[in-house]
Amino acid sequence: MSAKNPDRVVIVGGGTAGWMTASYLKAAFGDRLSVTLVESGKIGTIGVGEATFSDIRHFFEFLDLKEEDWMPACNATYKLAVRFEDWRGPGHHFYHPFEQLRSAGGFPLTDWWLRNGPSERFDKDCFVMASLCDNGRSPRRLDGSLLDQDFAEGAGDPAGLTMSEHQGKTQFPYAYHFEAALLAEYLAGYSIDRGVRRIVDEVRHVRLDERGWIDHVVTKEHGQIHGDLFVDCTGFRGVLLNQALDVPFVSYQDTLPNDSAVALQVPLDTEKAGLRPCTTATAQKAGWIWTIPLIGRIGTGYVYAKDYCEQEEAERTLREFAGPGAAEVEANHIRMRIGRSEQSWKNNCVAVGLSSGFVEPLESTGIFFIHHAIEQLVKHFPAADWHPRLRERYNSAVANVMDGVREFLVVHYKGAARDDTRYWKDTKTRAMPDALAERIERWQVQLPDSENVFPYYHGLPPYSYMCVLLGTGGIPLRPSSALNLSDETAARKEFAAIRDKAKFLVDTLPSQYEYLAELRA
Ligand code: FAD
């Protein structure tokens, strides 16, 4: 290994994680870093991963890519929320939107809603996004401006911060859906234009030096590839970190039992069908089905636990759900490794993507994990001495994000009022991550706030927990007792303002289809 600053990076794997890492490193360090990416032409990518978090916009901004540059190339659409269907019971739905929660008289509006909300729908009463989703609206007007000045781009949003530094300052009103394969190809083009060397070949061996650090990888046709820093983006295989460096995998399976998925790419006439601007998660007998609207097709998949559902039954359920348009489409069956590597960075190897860790895709956090990891990698990039403190900081930031998201997902299942099958009954008695039981007990008398949710950055603000608790409906909640003694005039005004704004926006915004047709023209 070279004695100078580590400046030769070798990325193994060319899925979303590999190409996001390559492009981000080039945007961060330019020609001061040499980047080689090796991807197998035979081992496929996971082929899913199409919905994101709103923070993803910082990734595209960092690469200096505008929506009109990349969205049409990736058949991308907007996502204003996750829509949960049937989690409380058949026919019920609620949204978890990308929208800050307002407050009135010093209390969050959800508290007031619990006390005496204007309607049965907390999501429509407390957020405008729920109405925009129900009505298929675009978050942008035809002139390209954002829906409303309250969501103005850049307001209070200084450039150059990492996601964790942004949190709490603003909530950008949307994320994206995109075709994973098209995005990887787009980012490959971006990276190669900026000097990344792409090698299509399979890594057969990983050679370590006498200290146990990676010296080089051996490929089938291109011989040895040497580097200083190796990034493992080989997906669930974890070829470098888990296999060669023997880093153990910490399973989350005891608390999140879904370990399987089956996915379909269903062609769709988007103009006729319209484009719902949200991801939908529909509860099923042994898990849930995602629906992701893209230009020209939907991505859909059943996430389930094999202890409760056979593979054939899962595929049948998904095909029935997707309808006749899916009849000719081949199903992609996936076994999921749920949990995280004990450390994501060991010696000179950093795992990014599925090799680092993964929780089921209920809140679309896989790509968020990747984005967070590469931001942290840049922030903690090693110097010549490979100072161990940088690795430690990196490892704890990455572990906290995944552990925090795990907790958040467990709340969905614990909270779901639905208990009509063995699967849903068992969600109420299953083990929980340490401390969550105590937190839930507190939330029952005081709704989630920044002091009583998972204490480290994990991308989910307290309002997200409120949405899930209020929406799933299985955990009894009550408003703050202080509201009995408080004047509710300000809250009434706020509810009225949200209702009026939602109506104005629904009346004046174009449909998502109209807006994207214009963008793609
Ligand atoms: P992969 O896509 O598996 O890529 C692995 C790469 O490594 C491939 O290029 C392969 O060729 C290469 N490779 C492997 N072994 C070798 C070798 N020996 N030599 C050379 N190359 C090798 N995330 C979201 O954010 N939103 C979602 O909606 C979402 N949905 C998901 C649904 C499911 C069912 C699953 C399982 C995941 C989902 N994810 C989602 C996660 C998301 O798909 C991944 O985080 C993302 O695609 C990154 O995958 P990856 O690049 O780590 O791995």
Side-chain angles (χ1 to χ4, degrees):
M1 201 172 59
S2 112
K4 62 182 166 48
N5 249 40
D7 61 3
R8 294 173 305 162
V9 174
V10 175
I11 299 169
V12 183
T16 308
W19 286 114
M20 280 181 72
T21 306
S23 51
Y24 197 93
L25 288 178
K26 271 294 164 189
F29 299 127
D31 291 339
R32 289 173 290 278
L33 201 70
S34 96
V35 179
T36 302
L37 186 145
V38 194
E39 60 181 326
S40 162
K42 292 223 175 80
I43 304 169
T45 60
I46 194 87
V48 285
E50 303 182 324
T52 56
F53 249 38
S54 63
D55 299 282
I56 190 74
R57 80 175 178 118
H58 299 305
F59 175 82
F60 292 108
E61 270 170 12
F62 194 78
L63 268 55
D64 204 18
L65 290 173
K66 310 258 175 303
E67 289 183 354
E68 54 272 32
D69 299 332
W70 72 270
M71 282 186 76
C74 301
N75 288 339
T77 62
Y78 291 122
K79 169 182 173 184
L80 309 183
V82 182
R83 174 183 164 112
F84 290 89
E85 290 185 348
D86 304 345
W87 285 69
R88 184 184 281 240
H92 180 266
H93 79 269
F94 71 94
Y95 291 98
H96 168 204
F98 295 118
E99 184 177 348
Q100 291 272 12
L101 179 63
R102 294 151 179 80
S103 52
F107 290 89
L109 210 51
T110 39
D111 243 322
W112 291 105
W113 182 86
L114 267 176
R115 180 164 185 268
N116 189 14
S119 82
E120 293 296 292
R121 292 277 304 271
F122 83 92
D123 51 354
K124 279 198 155 171
D125 290 341
C126 300
F127 302 96
V128 299
M129 287 300 170
S131 301
L132 302 196
C133 289
D134 274 347
N135 290 281
R137 299 292 98 186
S138 157
R140 288 190 180 271
R141 298 183 179 282
L142 289 175
D143 65 4
S145 60
L146 262 184
L147 68 167
D148 185 88
Q149 62 181 13
D150 283 3
F151 300 98
E153 271 156 306
D157 196 10
L161 299 181
T162 59
M163 286 189 284
S164 51
E165 290 161 337
H166 271 291
Q167 179 153 313
K169 294 192 172 59
T170 52
Q171 172 63 68
F172 195 65
Y174 63 79
Y176 306 104
H177 305 118
F178 46 65
E179 286 203 33
L182 294 181
L183 182 77
E185 211 37 55
Y186 187 87
L187 295 177
Y190 175 101
S191 307
I192 291 163
D193 285 350
R194 285 157 183 78
V196 171
R197 186 171 157 232
R198 176 191 220 170
I199 296 175
V200 178
D201 203 346
E202 200 170 310
V203 168
R204 285 288 173 88
H205 306 284
V206 180
R207 300 280 185 234
L208 309 184
D209 66 15
E210 63 289 350
R211 299 168 307 158
W213 291 43
I214 299 178
D215 186 70
H216 62 271
V217 293
V218 184
T219 57
K220 194 173 158 211
E221 286 161 9
H222 292 75
Q224 300 181 354
I225 300 174
H226 289 258
D228 301 322
L229 176 70
F230 289 80
V231 187
D232 184 345
C233 295
T234 59
F236 287 137
R237 287 180 167 76
V239 173
L240 278 64
L241 188 84
N242 303 122
Q243 291 185 29
L245 294 186
D246 236 358
V247 171
F249 189 76
V250 183
S251 173
Y252 291 160
Q253 199 86 45
D254 57 335
T255 53
L256 288 174
N258 291 346
D259 55 1
S260 309
V262 50
L264 294 170
Q265 300 186 348
V266 187
L268 185 78
D269 179 342
T270 318
E271 183 170 8
K272 235 179 176 175
L275 279 170
R276 206 181 244 174
C278 57
T279 306
T280 302
T282 309
Q284 298 293 320
K285 284 184 183 153
W288 59 277
I289 288 179
W290 78 76
T291 306
I292 297 178
L294 300 163
I295 301 291
R297 73 161 168 89
I298 56 165
T300 186
Y302 187 5
V303 175
Y304 62 98
K306 68 174 182 309
D307 284 351
Y308 296 81
C309 180
E310 299 289 337
Q311 181 167 306
E312 296 71 32
E313 188 191 335
E315 183 173 336
R316 203 169 42 246
T317 304
L318 180 63
R319 287 191 183 280
E320 274 167 21
F321 182 87
E328 304 298 318
V329 177
E330 200 181 326
N332 175 13
H333 286 274
I334 300 166
R335 278 269 172 268
M336 304 187 298
R337 186 176 76 152
I338 301 295
R340 64 169 169 83
S341 293
E342 202 172 83
Q343 314 140 264
S344 286
W345 182 347
K346 181 175 177 187
N347 301 343
N348 60 340
C349 175
V350 181
V352 175
L354 298 173
S355 51
S356 161
F358 179 61
V359 294
E360 58 162 282
L362 184 54
E363 287 279 357
S364 322
T365 45
I367 293 163
F368 161 70
F369 289 163
I370 296 171
H371 182 194
H372 174 258
I374 41 193
E375 271 193 5
Q376 294 298 313
L377 177 59
V378 166
K379 188 170 171 183
H380 297 96
F381 205 82
D385 62 357
W386 291 86
H387 203 291
R389 294 283 170 273
L390 292 175
R391 275 202 297 280
E392 284 163 20
R393 288 288 308 138
Y394 177 91
N395 280 328
S396 63
V398 165
N400 284 336
V401 160
M402 294 192 194
D403 291 350
V405 170
R406 169 177 65 160
E407 260 203 41
F408 182 55
L409 296 195
V410 172
V411 174
H412 293 63
Y413 292 98
K414 214 65 184 176
R418 182 174 182 151
D419 65 352
D420 54 329
T421 62
R422 182 168 67 89
Y423 174 90
W424 288 101
K425 282 189 174 69
D426 287 354
T427 60
K428 313 299 176 285
T429 53
R430 185 164 288 118
M432 282 195 272
D434 295 345
L436 181 57
E438 201 185 313
R439 282 197 249 284
I440 290 178
E441 222 180 289
R442 284 186 65 184
W443 296 337
Q444 291 187 265
V445 291
Q446 184 175 43
L447 288 179
D449 62 29
S450 57
E451 280 154 32
N452 64 23
V453 297
F454 186 80
Y456 304 102
Y457 175 75
H458 60 293
L460 278 321
Y463 90 81
S464 294
Y465 287 81
M466 288 200 217
C467 289
V468 170
L469 289 169
L470 291 169
T472 50
I475 296 176
L477 303 167
R478 62 182 206 201
S480 171
S481 35
L483 296 196
N484 296 330
L485 306 170
S486 307
D487 178 2
E488 65 178 350
T489 315
R492 292 276 139 223
K493 263 196 192 148
E494 204 56 55
F495 285 127
I498 289 170
R499 190 190 55 227
D500 293 348
K501 179 169 281 185
K503 180 171 181 339
F504 169 74
L505 291 173
V506 168
D507 289 347
T508 60
L509 284 166
S511 73
Q512 153 147 254
Y513 178 80
E514 278 173 282
Y515 180 78
L516 291 179
E518 185 86 1
L519 186 78
R520 294 167 64 84

